[in-house]
Amino acid sequence: MDKKEFEVIIIGGSYAGLSTAMTLGRSLRETLVIDAGKPCNQQTPHSHNFLTQDGSTPKEISEIAKSQVTKYDSVRFYDGLAVSGKRSNKGFEITTSKGDIFTAKKLILATGIKDLMPDIKGFSECWGISVVHCTYCHGYEIRNKKTAIIANGERAFHLSSLVNNLTKEITIITSDKKDFDENQLAKLKQHNIQIIEKEISEIKHQNGQLEKIVFKDGSTEIFECAYASIPFEQNSNIPKELGCKLTENGHIEVSFMQKTTEEDIFACGDNSTMMRSVSMAVSSGTITGAMVNHELTQENF
């Protein structure tokens, strides 16, 4: 790419990044989107709870979005991985794995998060297909099925309350000693939600479709689907490298305008919110684009 200097660099070209790019493109801002092409939901068969795109595949939504953003001449795309970033006299300097260096006045982190898979055989193959994280994204499709909730404590209790409206066959698998207070246990019993305090060794499946769970004591239990609460980490080290503060949960801390704790750096999408969905990523990207354009306007007017 011959052009190296931009007004804005967006790291990450999935839903949040593309939404930001569209907003900036419509404001004629010279924008570069750096994207490695590995969205976290690439294994998910269908995306839901997003008006006009309910039931589309993640890839279909991305392809339509990119084709629309590409129409704005001031937006450029770079296929590659951004590996480091630093401040410079031009604002920011971003280096890719290919050794290319780009500069911009403003930086937008749409870098996403990385799910940390547990050491359970078959888990990663089912993740996003029949082992899922969100009732709003997947719950309707797996309603009325025999469902496991792989979590403990407050998280398991919260998931149970949501899943209880979608199916009456719920079992919590704590993988350790159960961690519920008396009121929670009474509520779970009231709704006939079982608790298994065994550690999982394997998830048996066919092409990502859960069939049964195998425990370390050799016993098995048939399930059709499961919800799981697993840890994550930032998908990129650049936010930390540039000094962006993280929340206790590990998200990038942002204001209501999507500004990070570092001047001229914004963040949007899954890396900065617990509300993890395509529609929320698009929304936060639109806000980010508008706020960045506003700052550039105030600086240049």
Side-chain angles (χ1 to χ4, degrees):
M1 183 182 290
D2 54 348
K3 186 174 176 61
K4 299 293 183 180
E5 296 182 12
F6 295 84
E7 290 181 283
V8 185
I9 289 177
I10 302 169
I11 303 178
S14 192
Y15 313 108
L18 289 171
S19 178
T20 307
M22 176 175 280
T23 304
L24 290 168
R26 291 180 59 79
S27 295
L28 305 182
R29 295 299 180 187
E30 293 294 328
T31 303
L32 175 65
V33 180
I34 301 175
D35 184 49
K38 295 181 179 179
C40 67
N41 67 347
Q42 58 187 322
Q43 185 168 287
T44 304
H46 301 283
S47 176
H48 293 283
N49 208 31
F50 184 17
L51 282 172
T52 76
Q53 297 296 330
D54 190 51
S56 299
T57 68
K59 185 178 180 182
E60 286 170 342
I61 299 172
S62 291
E63 287 177 346
I64 292 171
K66 187 171 181 179
S67 70
Q68 292 177 346
V69 175
T70 303
K71 295 176 183 178
Y72 295 96
D73 293 338
S74 65
V75 180
R76 302 280 192 94
F77 288 88
Y78 178 92
D79 296 325
L81 179 66
V83 294
S84 66
K86 66 179 182 179
R87 289 190 180 272
S88 69
N89 57 2
K90 295 181 180 179
F92 297 95
E93 188 177 281
I94 303 299
T95 303
T96 73
S97 58
K98 301 173 187 177
D100 292 313
I101 299 174
F102 301 98
T103 63
K105 299 174 184 176
K106 306 287 184 182
L107 179 64
I108 298 171
L109 304 169
T111 44
I113 57 175
K114 182 188 299 180
D115 294 308
L116 302 178
M117 300 295 164
D119 186 21
I120 297 173
K121 185 179 179 182
F123 188 100
S124 61
E125 290 85 349
C126 295
W127 186 239
I129 301 172
S130 61
V131 179
V132 299
H133 76 290
C134 174
T135 58
Y136 299 105
C137 297
H138 306 283
Y140 185 84
E141 284 62 46
I142 56 176
R143 67 195 185 281
N144 300 323
K145 294 183 181 293
K146 188 174 182 184
T147 303
I149 293 177
I150 304 171
N152 201 353
E154 190 61 41
R155 181 59 179 162
F157 186 77
H158 174 67
L159 274 172
S160 297
S161 68
L162 295 174
V163 176
N164 186 64
N165 195 52
L166 298 165
T167 181
K168 299 306 178 186
E169 293 186 271
I170 303 172
T171 300
I172 296 173
I173 302 174
T174 62
S175 299
D176 201 350
K177 186 177 180 180
K178 61 178 179 284
D179 182 21
F180 303 102
D181 61 34
E182 291 183 6
N183 290 333
Q184 290 173 329
L185 288 171
K187 184 69 72 173
L188 294 173
K189 184 177 181 180
Q190 176 187 334
H191 291 286
N192 197 33
I193 297 174
Q194 309 299 310
I195 300 174
I196 295 177
E197 299 177 82
K198 296 179 182 179
E199 199 170 347
I200 300 171
S201 64
E202 183 178 357
I203 293 178
K204 294 282 189 180
H205 66 96
Q206 285 292 331
N207 298 318
Q209 185 56 55
L210 191 157
E211 293 183 337
K212 65 180 177 181
I213 290 177
V214 181
F215 297 97
K216 287 197 172 179
D217 65 0
S219 62
T220 64
E221 186 83 23
I222 293 173
F223 290 102
E224 297 173 273
C225 57
Y227 291 87
S229 180
I230 64 174
F232 69 89
E233 64 183 11
Q234 288 291 321
N235 197 42
S236 170
N237 192 52
I238 292 176
K240 183 179 178 181
E241 192 174 7
L242 290 171
C244 296
K245 185 179 178 181
L246 302 184
T247 67
E248 290 184 3
N249 293 325
H251 294 101
I252 300 172
E253 184 177 306
V254 293
S255 70
F256 70 96
M257 295 187 296
Q258 303 298 138
K259 297 184 69 170
T260 72
T261 53
E262 292 296 307
E263 192 71 23
D264 297 323
I265 305 178
F266 294 72
C268 54
D270 293 349
N271 65 12
S272 50
T273 180
M274 293 178 65
M275 303 297 288
R276 187 178 179 186
S277 70
V278 174
S279 58
M280 292 301 296
V282 170
S283 174
S284 67
T286 301
I287 294 169
T288 302
M291 292 303 103
V292 170
N293 182 62
H294 173 73
E295 284 201 0
L296 288 169
T297 298
Q298 295 304 305
E299 291 167 9
N300 298 330
F301 187 69

